[in-house]
Amino acid sequence: MAHSAMTPAKRSSRSFSSWNNYLFVLPIVLFMLVFVLFPIVYNITLSLQDVNVYNFKKKHHFVGFENYVSTFKDPVFYTAFRNSIVFTVFSLVFQFGIGFALALFFNRRFPGRNLMRSLMLLAWMLPMVITASVFQWMLNGDYGVVNFILQSLGIIDQPYSWLSNQSTSLLSTIIANIWVGIPFNMIILLTGLQGMPEQLYEAAKLDGAGKLKQFRHITLPLMRPTILILIMLGIINTFKVFDIIFIMTAGGPVNSSNVLPIYSYQMSFTKFEFSQGASVSMIMFVILILIAMVYLRMTSKEEAH
């Protein structure tokens, strides 16, 4: 009769194998705890205390939601929030629209396609500091190349201060961010287009469907998951853009280009109201979590159908 009970040696071997499996996931768990969970928990704790430059090394007092109340009472917060919405919406619309047009263009076969596509990616591969500095130079009111070109064409009579004017400072940063985001949108959408089954388009051609109908009834429905992911990533990345705006305008003049990340930085490292700055960043975090929940709900409905 076979002995069904597991021997101590086999039991020890299986136990070691189980622990060995846990060791493989230990690095990512430690990474998540140290670099994701801890900063979030610390930021939440900081936002519920009264921490500033004067009592930073002293005992911190719990103040509850007072920092959030102060934030919602500050008119600059609403200016920054409105600018963040405008910055995000306009950036996404043009990044996606131009990126999709370029993806459709590069999806065709023509000489030099790979070279042109590689050159397009340079805008996305450059460090944001360099990109912001280049646009800051191009839009400079005294020696910027944009003013030189517009004056040469007779469009403007005298140099215009694009970055120091309240009516164009936010627009200038949006244009720079659009330029940065177009290649990323293009390459993601192009990858989706190249995965399309050619048989569907051939069948549509046999049925007499033109390019517009093919795009509407084949390309867009099949590209829907890719588009949703791209828009979701775009909202998250654009809503928290800091460097390009900080370098170009620093949120000025008179908060005309101020956005929530800049506002949080100003509260924390200009006014040294660390808890106030933490409350602003937590508001941003909640907004992005809500957007992510909407996206997950949309994708779950998509999978259900």
Side-chain angles (χ1 to χ4, degrees):
M1 184 175 180
H3 193 51
S4 60
M6 188 179 293
T7 63
K10 288 184 178 180
R11 194 181 300 115
S12 176
S13 176
R14 177 168 290 188
S15 176
F16 177 78
S17 177
S18 177
W19 280 107
N20 199 30
N21 292 334
Y22 284 116
L23 287 176
F24 283 109
V25 298
L26 184 61
I28 189 63
V29 171
L30 290 175
F31 177 85
M32 295 293 290
L33 288 174
V34 175
F35 295 104
V36 178
L37 185 61
F38 173 74
I40 292 173
V41 173
Y42 180 79
N43 202 67
I44 293 172
T45 306
L46 188 64
S47 69
L48 299 174
Q49 297 175 337
D50 181 22
V51 183
N52 52 53
V53 70
Y54 301 107
N55 63 0
F56 186 73
K57 292 186 177 181
K58 298 178 183 177
K59 185 178 180 180
H60 303 149
H61 299 286
F62 179 80
V63 295
F65 293 99
E66 285 186 17
N67 293 311
Y68 294 91
V69 173
S70 300
T71 298
F72 286 120
K73 286 183 178 179
D74 189 357
V76 180
F77 169 78
Y78 294 99
T79 301
F81 181 74
R82 184 183 66 249
N83 288 341
S84 290
I85 298 296
V86 172
F87 183 85
T88 302
V89 170
F90 277 89
S91 293
L92 282 180
V93 168
F94 285 96
Q95 284 177 356
F96 179 80
I98 300 172
F100 209 160
L102 288 172
L104 291 170
F105 173 72
F106 283 114
N107 196 36
R108 299 171 177 270
R109 296 185 182 276
F110 58 88
R113 180 183 66 163
N114 293 332
L115 176 63
M116 290 178 64
R117 191 168 60 187
S118 301
L119 291 173
M120 285 291 301
L121 286 174
L122 287 176
W124 181 60
M125 294 169 63
L126 282 174
M128 196 67 76
V129 174
I130 295 176
T131 301
S133 300
V134 168
F135 271 91
Q136 189 180 39
W137 167 73
M138 290 172 59
L139 296 168
N140 189 277
D142 297 323
Y143 49 81
V145 68
V146 172
N147 279 334
F148 174 76
I149 294 172
L150 293 177
Q151 283 182 288
S152 301
L153 296 173
I155 298 175
I156 59 175
D157 299 326
Q158 57 185 4
Y160 189 82
S161 300
W162 299 94
L163 298 177
S164 58
N165 193 298
Q166 293 184 46
S167 59
T168 55
S169 59
L170 183 62
L171 175 63
S172 301
T173 60
I174 290 173
I175 292 171
N177 193 62
I178 289 171
W179 188 80
V180 171
I182 286 172
F184 177 75
N185 282 258
M186 179 200 72
I187 201 68
I188 297 298
L189 292 167
L190 181 59
T191 303
L193 289 172
Q194 289 177 341
M196 295 282 184
E198 290 291 332
Q199 297 87 344
L200 293 176
Y201 291 97
E202 291 173 1
K205 286 179 184 178
L206 292 174
D207 291 337
K211 293 290 184 182
L212 189 60
K213 283 189 175 180
Q214 291 177 30
F215 178 77
R216 182 180 174 186
H217 296 290
I218 298 176
T219 305
L220 282 181
L222 292 178
M223 287 288 290
R224 184 178 171 84
T226 304
I227 291 172
L228 286 175
I229 292 172
L230 188 60
I231 291 175
M232 176 64 188
L233 292 174
I235 291 173
I236 293 173
N237 290 330
T238 309
F239 196 78
K240 62 184 182 64
V241 165
F242 171 83
D243 39 14
I244 198 165
I245 302 175
F246 185 77
I247 293 168
M248 290 180 67
T249 64
V254 198
N255 296 310
S256 59
S257 62
N258 203 352
V259 291
L260 289 179
I262 300 287
Y263 177 64
S264 177
Y265 173 85
Q266 289 171 345
M267 296 303 298
S268 297
F269 303 108
T270 303
K271 297 182 179 180
F272 299 106
E273 295 288 345
F274 303 113
S275 292
Q276 194 82 26
S279 68
V280 177
S281 62
M282 284 311 304
I283 292 170
M284 290 175 55
F285 180 74
V286 171
I287 291 171
L288 293 176
I289 287 293
L290 292 174
I291 293 171
M293 289 173 65
V294 171
Y295 164 75
L296 291 173
R297 187 171 180 82
M298 289 175 65
T299 52
S300 62
K301 285 184 177 180
E302 191 82 14
E303 292 174 358
H305 291 299

